[in-house]
Amino acid sequence: MKKLTLQWQEANQKLIQHIYENQPSKNPGTCRLGRDPIKCDIVLTHPTVSGLHIEIFFDAQQQGFYIRNLRSKNPPLVDNKPLLTGEISLHENSIIFLGQQQINVTAISQIDIPDTIIIPKSQNSKLQPSPHSIPTQPNLEYGLECPNCHKISPPENLHIGCPWCGTSLAAAVSVLINN
């Protein structure tokens, strides 16, 4: 699975967000950026960013991430070139300007998704109770291991993200907890 890493400054804090090729989204198949929290997956607060500004998506045929402009009157700059229409590929070290907000593509990498891991529940006190158990094996329960902080979340957090660090659980490892 491919992963693109974005980094930007907001309120004197360095923020990092990962976008995965098959990431759940408010608009399936893309990750939308802008100020509107209802329409966007990544919300930026800078006043020069449009409500719905751009979308980033993975093209399986080209095996790369692309950016598409969604705001003709406030087009993004990608590597110092305005993106008026269509889409353009992103690469490591690409610089995106949405209005005056600078976003850097710091990495594009391949990540391997391991097979499901079974761990004894006694070794995992971080799991929150979950109503989802496997009917054929009542002593096993599924969880998602955060790729960032490695804490185990219930599967219903897949679309919300890690409750501890906020990282997307799209690339989380599925784990079976042996009760």
Side-chain angles (χ1 to χ4, degrees):
M1 174 185 296
K2 296 276 188 175
K3 174 177 83 170
L4 177 130
T5 303
L6 299 175
Q7 180 180 313
W8 68 96
Q9 290 284 117
E10 200 169 285
N12 294 324
Q13 290 186 357
K14 178 173 75 170
L15 300 176
I16 296 173
Q17 182 71 45
H18 303 292
I19 299 174
Y20 300 92
E21 68 179 86
N22 293 319
Q23 181 168 316
S25 171
K26 293 179 181 181
N27 187 51
T30 70
C31 181
R32 290 185 163 181
L33 286 78
R35 277 192 349 263
D36 188 340
I38 294 172
K39 296 178 183 174
C40 297
D41 302 294
I42 298 176
V43 179
L44 305 165
T45 61
H46 198 281
T48 61
V49 175
S50 296
L52 179 58
H53 210 127
I54 61 165
E55 60 187 8
I56 295 175
F57 63 95
F58 182 78
D59 184 315
Q61 287 185 324
Q62 299 296 322
Q63 286 295 298
F65 285 95
Y66 286 77
I67 181 173
R68 182 179 295 133
N69 179 18
L70 299 175
R71 186 70 180 163
S72 60
K73 293 184 180 179
N74 189 10
L77 289 177
V78 181
D79 297 325
N80 292 318
K81 297 175 193 149
L83 176 60
L84 301 172
T85 60
E87 55 217 26
I88 189 169
S89 66
L90 293 171
H91 53 83
E92 230 169 86
N93 301 318
S94 281
I95 298 173
I96 304 165
F97 275 94
L98 303 182
Q100 295 175 3
Q101 176 68 65
Q102 179 177 334
I103 302 170
N104 300 311
V105 177
T106 58
I108 297 176
S109 56
Q110 175 72 34
I111 58 171
D112 295 319
I113 307 294
D115 295 330
T116 299
I117 300 168
I118 299 177
I119 56 176
K121 189 168 187 171
S122 61
Q123 291 180 6
N124 180 32
S125 60
K126 303 172 195 168
L127 180 69
Q128 299 295 313
S130 172
H132 303 285
S133 61
I134 303 167
T136 57
Q137 298 192 19
N139 292 333
L140 295 176
E141 187 175 335
Y142 274 108
L144 298 172
E145 182 180 353
C146 175
N148 185 40
C149 71
H150 303 288
K151 293 184 180 179
I152 309 299
S153 295
E156 56 267 19
N157 286 354
L158 176 63
H159 297 292
I160 300 168
C162 178
W164 291 277
C165 69
T167 298
S168 169
L169 294 174
V173 174
S174 294
V175 295
L176 285 174
I177 291 78
N178 189 358
N179 291 328

